[in-house]
Amino acid sequence: MEKTWATSSAAGLDLHLDRAGTRVRADLERALREAVGTGRLAAGSRLPSSRALAADLGIARNTVAEAYAQLVAEGWLTARQGSGTRVRERPSGGGQAPGGRASSAGAGLPARAGAAPAADRAPQVDSRFDLRAGVPDLAAFPRPQWLAAARKATAAAPHRLLGYGDPRGCAELRDALAGYLARSRDVRTSPEQVIVCAGFTHALTALTQILIGDGSTAVAVEGYGHAEHRAVIERAGLTAEPLPLDERGARVDALTGSPARGVLLTPAHQFPTGVPLAADRRSAVVRWAAETGATVIEDDYDGEFRYDRQPLGALQALGPDTVVYAGTASKSLAPGLRLGWLAVPNRLLERLLAVPALADQRVDVLHQLTLAEFLTSGRYDRQVRSRRIAYRRRRDVLVAMLHREAPAVTVSGISAGLHALVRLPPGVDERTVVQAAGRVGVAVDGLATFAAGATGVAGGAGSSGAAGRAGDLGAALVVGYARPSDHAFTAAIARLCAVLRRALGSG
Amino acid sequence: MEKTWATSSAAGLDLHLDRAGTRVRADLERALREAVGTGRLAAGSRLPSSRALAADLGIARNTVAEAYAQLVAEGWLTARQGSGTRVRERPSGGGQAPGGRASSAGAGLPARAGAAPAADRAPQVDSRFDLRAGVPDLAAFPRPQWLAAARKATAAAPHRLLGYGDPRGCAELRDALAGYLARSRDVRTSPEQVIVCAGFTHALTALTQILIGDGSTAVAVEGYGHAEHRAVIERAGLTAEPLPLDERGARVDALTGSPARGVLLTPAHQFPTGVPLAADRRSAVVRWAAETGATVIEDDYDGEFRYDRQPLGALQALGPDTVVYAGTASKSLAPGLRLGWLAVPNRLLERLLAVPALADQRVDVLHQLTLAEFLTSGRYDRQVRSRRIAYRRRRDVLVAMLHREAPAVTVSGISAGLHALVRLPPGVDERTVVQAAGRVGVAVDGLATFAAGATGVAGGAGSSGAAGRAGDLGAALVVGYARPSDHAFTAAIARLCAVLRRALGSG
């Protein structure tokens, strides 16, 4: 269809309209908004009469009158008896033309902002050789099975579940999770105490508010751990107090006399050092919490992945009244699902649900029902089992290749999880190795990156001072062996081994 | 298969094991944990030797030894050379047997907590006659189309999107939303400024932190509105300062001299009074924000639903640097999806993404991609159009039936949205009508329920003092006509009309 463009430059108004379009009035309104928003029509200036503009554009007068009325209602124009239609006087602040950045108003298309402040925070790395810890093999996410569960859940969900729901999550999922957690992690809980959340960070954000309410000014954290978790704690105005780490996990004896009324632990498999919390310390930290009224946050991020023996049961079972258990689908399925869960002591339940972050449910109910279906059908357990086999094999390959290619390094920590701590021999600088790996496309983090007090998050390196406070564990790499896809995995490890061989040869 | 039960009561240990089961060791561990957790095995007491227990149970000694080792590692038992295996001494606090409430440990099945503190907060109502505002017809959620979009999105998503993503949401959805918002609501934004969130409450929780950072101690709110929104503001430690309302919307002139550095408005269709914010006030509030460095939060909860004319464009277009625009799928699709979005001024973007509530993405990426597919395929627009027709028809039915059955009431507010304000004639008590409706199964809220300062949320009634502060609008019902399903709708309105007829006859 041929377009018929109409142009009016009455009163400096330079309008381009497609008269053959079906939305003449909408187009006129858009053009007028743009002219006002960009300042082409100055504040206070008078618009042509609707009769004049209509004649000029060759459209119905009524269309112009309606467009003017619409823009008056929206606050762009004013219409006063006797003084005609004028551009409304603009807010004085700012100096910028109100009504939109000039670049954003064209043709109804949103402009790209000049700067993209938050985009692509993570450095670009070659995903085939990405050995940073914390992310599973995303290619192994069982899409067809997940979709089948979603189909079943979406078809079966009663209408009422599509409304605003229980802040803890829907009963179907809380039932399934309570059963799963009892069965697989020996968690002592009930569906009433389970809260569905959008990943561990969401939960931790809420839990900081409970600790503040308990009068805590600090949260004890493991000397090495996720910088993001410490950042959540610090954004809440709390101090993240590092506990020293040794080969038996966090030195919980350091809690005695601490102002912290909370401690964040990874008892099954310390992240990133890979050791479980020793039995006497498990018992001691629960005792400390019971005696001081404190709360233990158990981040059971990969508790389902143990290869050498049966996993340790959750710490929570030793103290269901003091330990908040936190689990996640981020490692077993995928982080992008944003699915996590808490098992909460009864004494904290009401308070936690009054915290803004958990006061309303944040997770799509169809998503919740899909996970519930995955759990009750046994599909979740099968996924965990199959990933366990795959990651165990990868860990064996890593250990074997390191043993052959770089025998001076040692893999410490238990045979579990999705990452390994690879200790470098004395005299080898961890940062040098990380940088050498980067030069051949391999992304891997040094242990210092995770030290409390370290500033760098990805690829950075902590100060020796920070490492000292966290318990000096020497130089090491934290190798996430789950992340590359199957076809890239061996090549990624081979590259890492080649880097280590060179570094140790010259070290 | 016949079960072979083994029982041992050595050392007070009363164990029941299914020897024919494939998980003898796991069962033994569970039974031991339960015995310790419930206190049946007292702290400090000595367990039978692995040899004795194995003989007693008729299982392999090694199985018992392994189970003991596991429970030692988990912190339930201690093993010391020479003193055998004992139950670990328990934390002293509490007085309750640690390791679990007695009722929660049985047979690995989670017990129901005695009290369900947060369950079923909303009163039970007959969903057929539920005329409370805020929820659309959940039966109209387009399940097959949504599922088809989910299938397409799940199949097409690159693996990398299943990892941890951009805190603002995935680019695919932000692109689609920026285009949709420009097209349908005249929002001036770019994909870089769009943040995907889990509904409006999630966004508001984050925005309160920005206002606190700006030194605000108060947020101005409309004199009548959602109690939940005021609760979010107050939980953050801010005062919700009501602006009086009249037939032209919120009296934004009352902001002059206010300590509030933020104001929460529903400019397109005030909730619940149903009037749009007058043109001069739209302009004035943007001017106030620009002059004082304040932020306007535009809750555009139902801006797509206008029946009598073209919707007012978003207030945001008048002040893209001062207005945070908030939209939602809760009315157009379903609240249970927990999908919302913000268009954020550039000056606030970095700060907002540093607030814990928005510092990481909380919405499932498959869910985001499904909405993106819905938007770009035109399916979302079709859904809005079809719902617009349906709700307009319902509003017409409501108005016609009220006119016939209860001519003394007046429906005020514009022809828009999912609810209507039904004003009662002088002398009729709103609470009496609400209660009478409740007696015939009709759930409806009185206007006073929404007054700032009112304590009741659902079905309650505010004090006249609170209503006075909010601008006294007289007695009225807020009738949500979207909620009942199609087949129940007319019957629900007929019941309401019958209640009104009786109330007005005796009023």
Side-chain angles (χ1 to χ4, degrees), chain A residues 323-342:
Chain A
V323 180
V324 176
Y325 172 91
T328 176
S330 291
K331 309 300 181 263
S332 52
L333 292 167
L337 299 187
R338 313 313 300 128
L339 274 171
W341 44 83
L342 297 177

Side-chain angles (χ1 to χ4, degrees), chain A residues 178-192:
Chain A
Y180 174 74
L181 292 175
R183 186 172 82 236
S184 77
R185 304 294 298 123
D186 197 42
V187 171
R188 307 294 164 100
T189 193
S190 70
E192 285 73 20

Side-chain angles (χ1 to χ4, degrees), chain A residues 33 70 72 74 88 92 96 99 110-111 143 154 157 162 186 189-190 235 279 282-283 291 309 311 313 321 336 354 365, chain B residues 33 70 72 74 88 92 96 110-111 143 154 157 162 186 189-190 235 279 282-283 291 309 311 313 317 321 336 354 365:
Chain A
R33 282 193 205 100
Q70 175 78 15
V72 167
E74 292 182 5
R88 188 181 290 274
S92 56
Q96 187 187 357
R143 297 191 194 208
T154 303
L162 294 170
D186 197 42
T189 193
S190 70
R235 281 199 206 101
R282 290 166 67 95
S283 184
E291 285 170 0
R309 51 174 282 177
D321 294 319
V365 70
Chain B
R33 283 193 204 99
Q70 176 75 15
V72 166
E74 292 182 3
R88 188 181 290 276
S92 57
Q96 186 187 0
R143 297 191 195 207
T154 303
L162 295 170
D186 198 42
T189 193
S190 69
R235 280 198 206 103
R282 288 164 69 94
S283 186
E291 284 171 2
R309 50 173 283 176
D321 294 319
V365 72

Side-chain angles (χ1 to χ4, degrees), chain A residues 10-102:
Chain A
L13 198 57
D14 194 25
L15 295 174
H16 299 276
L17 281 185
D18 177 4
R19 278 185 304 184
T22 50
R23 298 179 41 173
V24 175
R25 186 182 134 194
D27 288 349
L28 176 59
E29 287 173 12
R30 196 182 305 284
L32 285 168
R33 282 193 205 100
E34 182 190 338
V36 177
T38 59
R40 278 197 288 123
L41 270 177
S45 65
R46 185 167 175 164
L47 274 83
S49 71
S50 57
R51 183 192 305 266
L53 185 57
D56 216 27
L57 292 169
I59 61 178
R61 182 183 168 187
N62 211 34
T63 304
V64 178
E66 282 170 1
Y68 279 9
Q70 175 78 15
L71 268 74
V72 167
E74 292 182 5
W76 298 96
L77 308 177
T78 57
R80 268 199 216 101
Q81 200 66 32
S83 84
T85 305
R86 290 176 182 276
V87 177
R88 188 181 290 274
E89 296 292 340
R90 319 303 308 172
S92 56
Q96 187 187 357
R101 301 179 319 286

Side-chain angles (χ1 to χ4, degrees), chain A residues 58 79 107 145 173 329 411 444:
Chain A
Q145 292 81 0
L173 179 54
V411 177
V444 68

Side-chain angles (χ1 to χ4, degrees), chain B residues 413-436:
Chain B
I414 54 174
S415 181
L418 283 62
H419 73 277
L421 189 70
V422 176
R423 288 175 184 275
L424 303 174
V428 177
D429 181 47
E430 156 185 325
R431 263 171 293 198
T432 308
V433 178
V434 167
Q435 285 161 5

Side-chain angles (χ1 to χ4, degrees), chain A residues 83-439:
Chain A
S83 84
T85 305
R86 290 176 182 276
V87 177
R88 188 181 290 274
E89 296 292 340
R90 319 303 308 172
S92 56
Q96 187 187 357
R101 301 179 319 286
S103 61
S104 77
L109 285 175
R112 301 282 168 159
D120 297 321
R121 287 167 177 224
Q124 288 300 315
V125 297
D126 187 331
S127 62
R128 291 174 301 162
F129 308 131
D130 191 348
L131 297 175
R132 293 173 302 169
V135 175
D137 180 0
L138 301 174
F141 173 66
R143 297 191 194 208
Q145 292 81 0
W146 185 258
L147 197 53
R151 189 180 308 122
K152 200 165 166 185
T154 303
H159 290 318
R160 67 176 164 76
L161 287 185
L162 294 170
Y164 294 95
D166 191 308
R168 295 170 299 178
C170 66
E172 289 80 354
L173 179 54
R174 290 184 288 110
D175 280 348
L177 281 170
Y180 174 74
L181 292 175
R183 186 172 82 236
S184 77
R185 304 294 298 123
D186 197 42
V187 171
R188 307 294 164 100
T189 193
S190 70
E192 285 73 20
Q193 295 168 275
V194 171
I195 298 179
V196 179
C197 58
F200 181 68
T201 310
H202 180 202
L204 185 58
T205 301
L207 288 164
T208 56
Q209 300 308 308
I210 292 291
L211 300 179
I212 290 170
D214 284 342
S216 195
T217 56
V219 180
V221 297
E222 293 165 327
Y224 291 80
H226 280 295
E228 292 86 346
H229 296 170
R230 295 190 298 266
V232 169
I233 289 164
E234 281 159 4
R235 281 199 206 101
L238 294 162
T239 310
E241 287 287 350
L243 297 174
L245 285 177
D246 61 24
E247 70 290 344
R248 304 177 66 243
R251 291 270 307 277
V252 296
D253 56 324
L255 288 167
T256 310
S258 161
R261 293 278 70 79
V263 57
L264 169 60
L265 295 173
T266 50
H269 187 222
Q270 203 280 327
F271 186 86
T273 63
V275 297
L277 188 62
D280 58 325
R281 295 186 185 178
R282 290 166 67 95
S283 184
V285 71
V286 170
R287 193 181 318 121
W288 167 79
E291 285 170 0
T292 62
T295 299
V296 181
I297 303 169
E298 177 174 24
D299 178 12
D300 195 39
Y301 66 106
D302 71 354
E304 292 136 328
F305 294 98
R306 178 107 191 213
Y307 313 130
D308 54 342
R309 51 174 282 177
Q310 194 179 341
L312 286 189
L315 175 65
Q316 188 266 2
L318 287 179
D321 294 319
T322 53
V323 180
V324 176
Y325 172 91
T328 176
S330 291
K331 309 300 181 263
S332 52
L333 292 167
L337 299 187
R338 313 313 300 128
L339 274 171
W341 44 83
L342 297 177
V344 179
N346 271 322
R347 67 176 176 93
L348 292 180
L349 198 49
E350 279 282 9
R351 285 177 62 202
L352 206 47
L353 292 171
V355 171
L358 291 179
D360 66 330
Q361 180 48 234
R362 301 276 166 87
V363 181
D364 167 30
V365 70
L366 299 176
H367 201 42
Q368 294 184 53
L369 293 170
T370 302
L371 179 60
E373 168 64 26
F374 230 60
L375 284 161
T376 52
S377 68
R379 185 70 236 181
Y380 186 87
D381 293 71
R382 283 204 290 283
Q383 172 71 9
V384 167
R385 276 200 300 276
S386 114
R387 293 328 295 155
R388 201 185 280 139
I389 292 166
Y391 294 145
R392 175 185 195 148
R393 206 171 281 150
R394 288 189 180 204
R395 192 176 194 281
D396 291 347
V397 168
L398 172 70
V399 170
M401 285 177 72
L402 285 171
H403 184 70
R404 196 173 62 221
E405 306 283 330
V409 307
T410 50
V411 177
S412 75
I414 55 174
S415 181
L418 282 62
H419 73 276
L421 189 71
V422 176
R423 291 176 181 274
L424 303 174
V428 177
D429 180 49
E430 158 185 323
R431 263 171 294 199
T432 309
V433 178
V434 167
Q435 285 160 5
R439 281 193 295 274

